[in-house]
Amino acid sequence: MSTAEPAIELKGISKAFGPVQANKDISIRVMPGTIHGIIGENGAGKSTLMSILYGFYKADKGEIFISGKKTEIPDSQAAISAGIGMVFQHFKLVENFTVLENIILGAEDGWLLKPSLAKARKSLIDLAAEYELNVDPDALIEEIGVGMQQRVEILKALYRQADILILDEPTGVLTPSEADQLFRILGRLREEGKTIILITHKLREIMETTDTVSVMRRGEMTATVKTADTSPEELAELMVGRKVLLRVDKKPPQVGEVVLNVENLRVVDEQGVERLKSISLNVRAGEILGIAGVAGNGQSELLEVLGGYADGTGTVTLNGETIDLTGKHSDGKSRRARGIAHVPEDRQREGLIMDYTAWENTAFGYHHDPAYQSGILINNAAIRKDTEEKMERFDVRPPNPRLTAKNFSGGNQQKIVLAREIERNPDLLLIGQPTRGVDIGAIEFIHKQIVALRDQGKAILLVSVELEEILSLADRVAVMFDGNIMGERAVGDTDEKELGLLMAGVET
Amino acid sequence: MDVMPKWAEVILVPLISLLLAAILSGLVILAIGEDPIAAVKLMVKGALGSTYGWGYTLYYATNFMFTGLAVSVAFHARLFNIGGEGQAMMGGLGVALACLFIPWPHWTLALLGAIVLAGAFGAIWAAIPAYLQAKRGSHIVITTIMFNFIAAAVLNYMLVNVLRPQGSMDPATARFPEVVHLPTLHDILGMVGISFSKAAPANVSLLVAMIACILVWLLIWRTKLGYEIRAYGHSESAAKYAGISPVKITMIAMIISGGLAGMMAINNVMGEAERLVLNATEGAGFIGIAVALMGRSHPLGVFVAAILFGFLYQGGAELALWTSIPRELIVVIQALVILFTGALDNMVRMPLERIFLALRKGNV
């Protein structure tokens, strides 16, 4: 293998966006027939690097060699002809086209579709046999599952004769078993001599699937090592630049009375689709109930209706008192007044006003607080002072209340939201995807805060698509699938495999 | 981080945009065979060279302040109120009713009454499209435009069939009684010994408009309501999360907006014409959009932009009077100003940002 030319070699790639140096002098060699992982925190420059390789951005400096030959990649067309295929995090498929139609889209041979389709059908059968990539060519994209859609993306690349496959966070939307299938397919592709670049922030995937791994931090390549020679702890340290605690330290829960009780909660959206079908659950004081599930199975609706900005039917009580699910007393304001705080799933669309300053965001939702008023006017100085203190306690960096929310990193934005909600001393905290898009260093801090709130005897409802996060934080876990709760387990009595089956809708 | 210092953002960008608009306007004037330098001199002299000119400039500016503020308030809730024209017309109706049918003892009380009625009429006229937007999802741009036409038709009917004095051929109301005449700048400044043109229409409404600027500033940046309006304007999904009702904010922002547009009538109807005539608004409702755009929906910006457009209006009228530059060309110049300060903002901003970036790098 040492005599072979690398499939891809990047030499001294640099790219700046304005004052931000997204990639700094990056060099990397990927040997053919290997799976090469690229790991790094959000904003470390992984996606920028791959976008350069796929012709979306042009590097300021540096050279790209494909199979030893210097190659210019000015656009994605050039990348495809150089044998590079890309599977994006968000699929680029036409929902109401069939699998076959999606595969030839953009690669039609002539004016008439029929010959192209016939040819594609034949090569699809060949590819399926060769790589164990079975899909129904005539199924509509909108009717097949996410895992299948991803296969179609891979087939699209292979149909275009890709020898090098780049996958950007491929498991973000998959159940654990779908992810396992994906990794089996990748292994098969490697056996057939394809080269695979896997971009991810999940250490486990890197350890399980890759041959070599490169770590990126702040636009620089900090290390490239053989996967067999490293450990998750070492990789985490390389990513963050300091030692990281991967497990959450917590005491056994001191469980109290039932705080939140939900019975037969049902939510129908504006299109008339039933998003929640008779959900029942409860959360007691001093415990964290984790809601696991693949994104889009009703978790968002559950948070929205409990948070007061979606209507529902059923019975919900907080400390024994009924909460309105429709009408005038069902909004975020009245929920807060009842002692429900909410860290929403999407902090950029819901939790924060991105164009508001940190102090304006700290008052967000609590702007009726008498402490923030002076007469009929808002007391800006009081809010700023309060924000400054909260920023200090939650280690928000930079600790400047006058800075606009969009100028903070994802982790610091999340800390602003957390500080606002947790410091209100709520009876119940709803928290969705607490660490999505948050760097590892901040994850540690955020997890500690959530556990600390639990230990103060508060009830916490945690929704996350990261099973690992649920397993390390929650005391009990309920799995949602298709608007139902498939099952509830104590965290100590279950494992990823069982939860994975529940997430896929299989009764266990 | 913000790339440019705030002063560059607020002053330099619009100034350069204006300069570009001026240069292009100069070229257009040159192209039709007139002397741009002389034209500029004439405009400045006509609009700012005498208290008479100032009186007209400020009179127009007063109109634009009200309508500019109206558009700004709605815009903070990301509602595009194109209906300032119609709301101002209805405001005129309110002023006419207040002045004609209520026996006021003094002009100050009449002014207060007129403000209330003008505001109420404008607000009602904005509330209907707001309701349709909030409850039925009918797009407010479309409905406010339609309401402009409906307002014009209503006014037409009222003037021709109801309010026209017996025997008059003119579709206008009777003159307002002497007691409700508002003091002009001539009267006000005369009290402190400054002589100001008697013929110019600028009046006490200018002060009302300036107070409105301050109140709007307080409303938007210093009250809970303003905080909610801006939050809703930035992100509807976040507003919902926080418990801010989209219906409530849409209604309130539009009612305030319509009220401000309606209040313009105290200037043009009560202060200047002293009766309600057809087409009294003369497009000020639409100019308000440009003023708000150029003033970045900030009351101070609106104030400055309104005076600039007042200058363009009055200077343009002078040009049309004294040169062979046709009136239509004045519209072209105004359009260029709107184009450069509003629509082509990024054309100036981006190179400037690059310069500031280079400067900063040089410093480090």
Side-chain angles (χ1 to χ4, degrees):
Chain A
M1 212 161 87
S2 56
T3 52
E5 293 280 1
I8 299 179
E9 182 167 16
L10 303 177
K11 279 187 185 165
I13 298 280
S14 291
K15 172 80 188 169
F17 296 102
V20 182
Q21 190 77 35
N23 284 162
K24 208 185 294 172
D25 193 25
I26 287 184
S27 300
I28 172 178
R29 290 157 67 95
V30 181
M31 286 305 183
T34 62
I35 299 182
H36 187 103
I38 295 184
I39 193 164
E41 299 186 89
N42 287 289
K46 296 170 296 188
S47 299
T48 308
L49 188 65
M50 290 307 120
S51 299
I52 289 170
L53 194 51
Y54 201 60
F56 282 168
Y57 297 136
K58 202 173 145 25
D60 300 336
K61 272 210 304 273
E63 295 170 327
I64 301 171
F65 294 86
I66 308 281
S67 305
K69 216 170 79 221
K70 186 168 187 293
T71 313
E72 293 287 331
I73 303 180
D75 52 33
S76 53
Q77 208 59 47
I80 290 167
S81 27
I84 301 174
M86 182 116 174
V87 176
F88 293 93
Q89 194 174 359
H90 302 284
F91 306 146
K92 315 237 180 262
L93 296 171
V94 183
E95 291 269 308
N96 53 356
F97 273 18
T98 64
V99 169
L100 206 57
E101 285 168 331
N102 266 289
I103 282 173
I104 64 159
L105 188 65
E108 307 91 340
D109 291 325
W111 288 98
L112 292 173
L113 271 184
K114 218 170 179 181
S116 304
L117 283 170
K119 195 183 120 203
R121 188 180 296 275
K122 194 176 161 299
S123 36
L124 202 61
I125 293 166
D126 293 345
L127 287 170
E130 202 176 347
Y131 302 109
E132 294 167 24
L133 274 165
N134 291 312
V135 287
D136 173 5
D138 298 310
L140 288 176
I141 292 296
E142 58 197 357
E143 285 168 1
I144 61 178
V146 185
M148 276 296 173
Q149 293 182 2
Q150 195 170 45
R151 279 191 199 180
V152 177
E153 284 283 11
I154 295 173
L155 281 166
K156 251 169 80 179
L158 294 176
Y159 181 71
R160 287 161 176 73
Q161 323 269 310
D163 287 318
I164 301 159
L165 211 56
I166 306 171
L167 292 105
D168 189 3
E169 301 280 358
T171 58
V173 288
L174 301 182
T175 63
S177 69
E178 282 174 323
D180 286 343
Q181 275 177 30
L182 171 71
F183 292 132
R184 265 205 301 283
I185 292 168
L186 294 184
R188 185 95 186 102
L189 288 166
R190 169 172 56 183
E191 281 168 32
E192 297 296 323
K194 305 277 183 197
T195 309
I196 292 156
I197 298 182
L198 178 69
I199 304 170
T200 180
H201 68 274
K202 293 182 185 165
L203 289 164
R204 214 192 55 175
E205 290 172 6
I206 291 284
M207 295 309 296
E208 284 176 7
T209 53
T210 61
D211 300 306
T212 47
V213 52
S214 299
V215 183
M216 289 189 74
R217 169 152 54 97
R218 295 200 192 130
E220 289 180 81
M221 197 67 99
T222 50
T224 297
V225 291
K226 278 210 159 39
T227 312
D229 301 342
T230 186
S231 66
E233 286 75 17
E234 190 195 2
L235 287 178
E237 199 180 326
L238 284 167
M239 277 164 74
V240 186
R242 63 179 171 83
K243 280 225 178 297
V244 188
L245 200 63
L246 288 176
R247 284 258 152 249
V248 186
D249 265 336
K250 57 175 196 193
K251 295 176 287 189
Q254 300 288 317
V255 179
E257 299 283 306
V258 170
V259 174
L260 175 77
N261 191 49
V262 176
E263 265 165 48
N264 305 324
L265 179 61
R266 189 165 170 268
V267 171
V268 178
D269 71 8
E270 281 166 10
Q271 278 79 44
V273 180
E274 201 178 20
R275 293 290 177 184
L276 287 187
K277 305 165 180 168
S278 195
I279 294 261
S280 297
L281 53 83
N282 65 61
V283 191
R284 287 165 297 172
E287 73 164 352
I288 300 176
L289 174 69
I291 305 278
V294 178
N297 277 295
Q299 303 98 312
S300 308
E301 287 77 9
L302 179 64
L303 284 179
E304 281 168 15
V305 76
L306 292 177
Y309 52 107
D311 286 348
T313 55
T315 319
V316 175
T317 59
L318 185 78
N319 296 324
E321 285 171 47
T322 309
I323 281 179
D324 286 353
L325 299 179
T326 50
K328 219 170 66 176
H329 298 294
S330 175
D331 63 5
K333 190 178 159 191
S334 24
R335 290 291 197 275
R336 284 181 189 87
R338 298 287 292 272
I340 300 179
H342 182 185
V343 177
E345 288 187 299
D346 190 337
R347 63 179 162 272
Q348 306 205 337
R349 278 187 69 246
E350 296 177 343
L352 294 167
I353 302 267
M354 297 307 277
D355 289 323
Y356 267 10
T357 57
W359 68 265
E360 283 173 306
N361 272 306
T362 293
F364 195 51
Y366 299 98
H367 52 281
H368 302 281
D369 184 344
Y372 289 161
Q373 324 291 328
S374 62
I376 58 162
L377 302 183
I378 287 186
N379 189 344
N380 293 359
I383 304 177
R384 270 198 289 269
K385 186 158 172 294
D386 188 34
T387 307
E388 222 162 287
E389 292 164 7
K390 285 190 169 129
M391 286 176 120
E392 172 127 358
R393 282 195 291 271
F394 276 74
D395 190 30
V396 180
R397 274 174 279 184
N400 178 1
R402 291 174 192 265
L403 212 57
T404 312
K406 62 183 172 205
N407 290 326
F408 288 93
S409 72
N412 285 305
Q413 288 172 359
Q414 188 72 326
K415 285 183 194 170
I416 293 174
V417 180
L418 271 174
R420 178 181 76 204
E421 302 298 328
I422 288 183
E423 298 241 323
R424 288 281 151 180
N425 202 20
D427 291 339
L428 170 70
L429 177 70
L430 309 170
I431 181 162
Q433 321 298 351
T435 55
R436 179 188 277 169
V438 167
D439 37 89
I440 290 201
I443 288 179
E444 200 186 339
F445 181 87
I446 290 169
H447 283 174
K448 269 189 194 157
Q449 294 297 327
I450 296 173
V451 172
L453 193 70
R454 176 196 81 154
D455 291 344
Q456 285 170 37
K458 308 295 182 186
I460 296 170
L461 182 80
L462 163 77
V463 170
S464 175
V465 292
E466 306 278 353
L467 202 47
E468 244 176 293
E469 179 165 55
I470 299 245
L471 286 174
S472 69
L473 275 182
D475 302 303
R476 277 189 299 141
V477 52
V479 181
M480 283 188 74
F481 175 77
D482 195 26
N484 280 312
I485 290 191
M486 290 300 295
E488 213 185 280
R489 302 280 185 274
V491 164
D493 303 340
T494 186
D495 56 21
E496 283 199 25
K497 197 165 158 235
E498 188 189 15
L499 294 177
L501 285 173
L502 290 170
M503 282 163 77
V506 182
E507 302 270 2
T508 57
Chain B
M1 282 305 249
D2 298 328
V3 183
M4 284 197 288
K6 205 162 169 98
W7 62 268
E9 172 88 31
V10 179
I11 299 170
L12 209 56
V13 173
L15 213 63
I16 293 174
S17 304
L18 264 181
L19 212 65
L20 287 173
I23 291 169
L24 211 61
S25 307
L27 290 176
V28 174
I29 293 174
L30 211 61
I32 62 164
E34 292 281 338
D35 178 0
I37 307 286
V40 171
K41 275 187 185 159
L42 195 62
M43 278 180 84
V44 173
K45 187 165 166 284
L48 311 173
S50 63
T51 58
Y52 174 81
W54 270 105
Y56 265 98
T57 298
L58 291 175
Y59 163 71
Y60 290 125
T62 307
N63 285 343
F64 302 152
M65 274 175 219
F66 280 117
T67 54
L69 286 177
V71 175
S72 301
V73 169
F75 203 67
H76 277 293
R78 205 183 289 159
L79 295 164
F80 218 156
N81 180 11
I82 311 287
E85 187 79 2
Q87 290 142 20
M89 281 183 204
M90 295 311 278
L93 193 60
V95 166
L97 297 179
C99 292
L100 288 170
F101 297 106
I102 301 173
W104 298 102
H106 191 261
W107 68 265
T108 46
L109 292 175
L111 179 61
L112 283 178
I115 288 173
V116 169
L117 241 72
F121 271 60
I124 290 168
W125 211 243
I128 305 167
Y131 179 83
L132 293 173
Q133 167 81 64
K135 287 285 191 190
R136 326 270 329 163
S138 319
H139 203 291
I140 201 143
V141 169
I142 309 292
T143 45
T144 48
I145 290 174
M146 295 198 294
F147 266 66
N148 286 338
F149 289 97
I150 302 174
V154 168
L155 209 64
N156 209 333
Y157 172 82
M158 289 298 285
L159 287 178
V160 172
N161 297 312
V162 183
L163 295 173
R164 180 169 53 94
Q166 283 260 297
S168 163
M169 298 283 281
D170 193 8
T173 65
R175 281 208 161 271
F176 298 159
E178 194 65 37
V179 66
V180 308
H181 287 185
L182 294 180
T184 62
L185 283 194
H186 168 80
D187 304 329
I188 298 167
L189 293 173
M191 284 191 289
V192 291
I194 303 170
S195 65
F196 198 87
S197 165
K198 201 172 161 55
N203 59 74
V204 69
S205 305
L206 174 64
L207 300 179
V208 179
M210 285 159 73
I211 292 168
C213 284
I214 296 168
L215 290 180
V216 166
W217 179 79
L218 277 173
L219 169 78
I220 295 293
W221 275 280
R222 287 292 183 273
T223 66
K224 267 188 291 187
L225 180 61
Y227 178 91
E228 293 192 345
I229 288 176
R230 283 183 298 135
Y232 174 72
H234 282 305
S235 168
E236 184 174 345
S237 50
K240 272 193 197 155
Y241 154 80
I244 297 167
S245 156
V247 173
K248 185 183 124 189
I249 295 298
T250 303
M251 290 300 296
I252 292 182
M254 278 304 285
I255 283 173
I256 294 172
S257 174
L260 283 164
M263 279 179 215
M264 180 195 117
I266 61 165
N267 187 45
N268 67 336
V269 176
M270 195 175 178
E272 198 253 351
E274 297 179 340
R275 59 183 188 139
L276 184 59
V277 297
L278 264 186
N279 199 15
T281 48
E282 293 179 306
F286 296 115
I287 299 289
I289 299 169
V291 167
L293 221 64
M294 189 178 170
R296 307 224 173 282
S297 297
H298 191 287
L300 186 64
V302 166
F303 177 77
V304 174
I307 289 179
L308 175 82
F309 273 87
F311 160 76
L312 283 176
Y313 243 61
Q314 171 57 12
E318 290 285 316
L319 268 191
L321 198 61
W322 298 109
T323 66
S324 58
I325 299 174
R327 225 203 137 90
E328 285 69 31
L329 202 72
I330 312 304
V331 181
V332 171
I333 294 174
Q334 285 164 1
L336 282 170
V337 172
I338 296 171
L339 190 68
F340 274 88
T341 55
L344 295 181
D345 185 60
N346 273 339
M347 196 176 79
V348 176
R349 186 180 300 269
M350 305 252 275
L352 259 184
E353 280 181 354
R354 234 169 283 146
I355 292 170
F356 273 100
L357 213 60
L359 281 178
R360 190 180 302 166
K361 269 193 186 152
N363 284 341
V364 173

